[in-house]
């Protein structure tokens, strides 16, 4: 695997790389990420992974400082997965001067769900991802469906700005007990880890009820939140939305997604299930 820490080095390294598939990450790679790398192979000639913990998408007081940085371990996993190129810039390479230009996503896409609880988060994500796109100029980029709203925002950005990049959505990878794999799972105590799959179970219960014909969505959302609360969680939201734009469903909308976010102890977990 070729490791690049500068923009010029990466561009030189990609000169004869053919169709490049980019998988942007913040490192601390788990099996969910590795599954993305494996899926990436089918979409081009060279798989490029980026590792960069992007300060712009964290608010003061969020977990930027304590976000796990496991570079040596990540490199070993990426090599074993057959990744061709790794781009791992330092902060001074990505942001040599304070960032002044941002990609501003539309309010109706970011004032909801994750955006409501993490103001400024998506603006940081779109800005760094556009920058990564410009740096690497990939033909394809892969993002996991676990961050469903991020997927939607980045697909819309790519379409709206006419970027010549195909966005591929990859399925969420789960532990045997249903917990969606996430770097933040490492923050859970043993007791919290045992409790954590409840979020997935509650979302699955909501999905089941919808499939069985229940249309009182507000009631379903409330029941799931109450159940989480009763088991020691502090839910931010459980929401039934349209897959297309994550707005509340209208009568007749069929392609839905159930999304949830909740604090378990000091760790914020998110998950979703398409209906
Ligand atoms: O999903 C992530 O890990 C990050 O938000 C991303 C897309 C790498 C941008 O920093």
């Amino acid at each position: 695997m070729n490791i690049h820490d500068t923009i010029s080095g990466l561009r030189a390294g990609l000169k004869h790389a053919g169709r490049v598939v980019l998988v942007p990450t913040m490192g601390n790679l788990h099996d969910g990420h590795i599954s993305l790398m494996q899926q990436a192979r089918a979409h081009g000639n060279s798989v490029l992974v980026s590792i960069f913990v992007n300060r712009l998408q964290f608010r003061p007081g969020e977990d930027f400082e304590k976000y796990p940085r496991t570079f040596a371990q990540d490199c070993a996993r990426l090599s074993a997965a057959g990744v061709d190129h790794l781009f791992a810039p330092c902060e001074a390479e990505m942001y040599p001067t304070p960032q002044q230009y941002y990609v501003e996503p539309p309010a109706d896409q970011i004032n909801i769900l994750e955006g409501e609880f993490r103001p400024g988060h998506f603006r940081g994500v779109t800005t760094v991802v556009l920058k990564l796109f410009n740096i690497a100029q990939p033909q394809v980029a892969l993002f996991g469906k676990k961050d469903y709203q991020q997927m939607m925002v980045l697909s819309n950005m790519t379409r709206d700005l006419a970027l010549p990049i195909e966005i591929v959505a990859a399925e969420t990878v789960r532990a045997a007990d249903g917990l969606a794999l996430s770097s933040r799972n490492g923050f859970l105590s043993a007791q919290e880890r045992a409790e954590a799959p409840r979020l997935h179970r509650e979302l699955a219960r909501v999905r089941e009820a919808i499939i069985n014909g229940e249309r009182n969505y507000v009631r379903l959302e409330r029941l799931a939140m109450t159940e989480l609360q009763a088991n020691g969680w502090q839910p931010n939201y459980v929401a039934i939305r349209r897959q297309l734009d994550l707005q509340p469903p209208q009568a007749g909308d069929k392609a839905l997604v159930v999304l949830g976010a909740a604090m378990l102890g000091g760790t914020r977990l998110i998950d979703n299930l398409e209906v």
Side-chain angles (χ1 to χ4, degrees):
M1 181 173 70
N2 298 297
I3 303 178
H4 313 276
D5 57 8
T6 62
I7 295 172
S8 57
L10 175 71
R11 285 187 174 153
L14 292 181
K15 265 220 167 91
H16 305 290
R19 189 174 160 85
V20 173
V21 187
L22 170 66
V23 187
T25 79
M26 296 202 299
N28 193 230
L29 304 176
H30 49 67
D31 289 349
H33 291 111
I34 300 304
S35 147
L36 291 186
M37 316 311 167
Q38 283 153 355
Q39 294 177 55
R41 179 77 33 227
H43 295 274
N45 311 102
S46 299
V47 176
L48 162 66
V49 172
S50 63
I51 295 183
F52 180 65
V53 186
N54 173 39
R55 185 186 290 277
L56 295 188
Q57 68 190 72
F58 292 80
R59 264 183 316 148
E62 276 190 335
D63 52 3
F64 173 75
E65 307 297 346
K66 72 169 187 170
Y67 199 87
R69 284 138 173 108
T70 51
F71 188 67
Q73 195 182 307
D74 291 348
C75 282
R77 295 210 71 177
L78 292 174
S79 284
V83 165
D84 303 291
H85 295 272
L86 169 62
F87 179 51
C90 64
E91 225 172 319
E93 183 70 9
M94 282 299 276
Y95 300 124
T97 52
Q99 188 74 15
Q100 291 182 322
Y101 290 80
Y102 286 82
V103 181
E104 201 66 62
D108 65 343
Q109 285 173 26
I110 57 158
N111 288 347
I112 55 171
L113 305 168
E114 284 306 281
E116 186 184 339
F117 291 90
R118 304 185 67 188
H121 169 70
F122 286 112
R123 173 185 193 254
V125 172
T126 48
T127 302
V128 79
V129 169
L130 181 62
K131 200 154 177 170
L132 287 168
F133 284 177
N134 285 332
I135 290 168
Q137 305 189 3
Q139 279 69 39
V140 184
L142 238 88
F143 296 95
K145 281 191 189 175
K146 172 161 175 293
D147 295 299
Y148 209 88
Q149 191 173 4
Q150 170 171 283
M151 263 291 318
M152 181 198 70
V153 167
L154 292 173
S155 300
N156 290 348
M157 174 187 82
T158 304
R159 187 203 57 217
D160 257 31
L161 299 180
L163 305 176
I165 298 171
E166 182 193 338
I167 301 291
V168 175
E171 294 302 327
T172 302
V173 180
R174 300 182 178 281
D177 59 9
L179 178 66
L181 299 191
S182 161
S183 299
R184 292 194 168 91
N185 295 351
F187 297 145
L188 300 169
S189 68
Q191 202 183 345
E192 288 164 349
R193 174 62 189 82
E195 171 59 23
R198 188 182 303 279
L199 179 59
H200 171 247
R201 284 203 301 276
E202 284 308 314
L203 300 186
R205 215 148 62 136
V206 172
R207 176 173 68 175
E208 204 56 28
I210 298 171
I211 291 169
N212 290 333
E214 174 65 84
R215 290 294 173 267
N216 190 339
Y217 295 152
V218 174
R219 181 170 165 274
L220 289 178
E221 291 167 352
R222 244 188 246 140
L223 278 175
M225 300 260 285
T226 308
E227 194 58 29
L228 287 169
Q229 238 154 6
N231 286 281
W233 297 66
Q234 290 169 279
N236 290 155
Y237 59 82
V238 171
I240 300 164
R241 295 297 169 99
R242 304 202 289 217
Q243 287 177 20
L244 179 70
D245 53 10
L246 299 184
Q247 298 301 321
Q250 308 293 312
D253 279 334
K254 288 208 169 64
L256 306 180
V257 55
V258 189
L259 307 108
M263 294 293 295
L264 182 56
T267 308
R268 187 167 184 278
L269 298 179
I270 64 171
D271 201 352
N272 64 78
L273 285 175
E274 287 177 331
V275 181

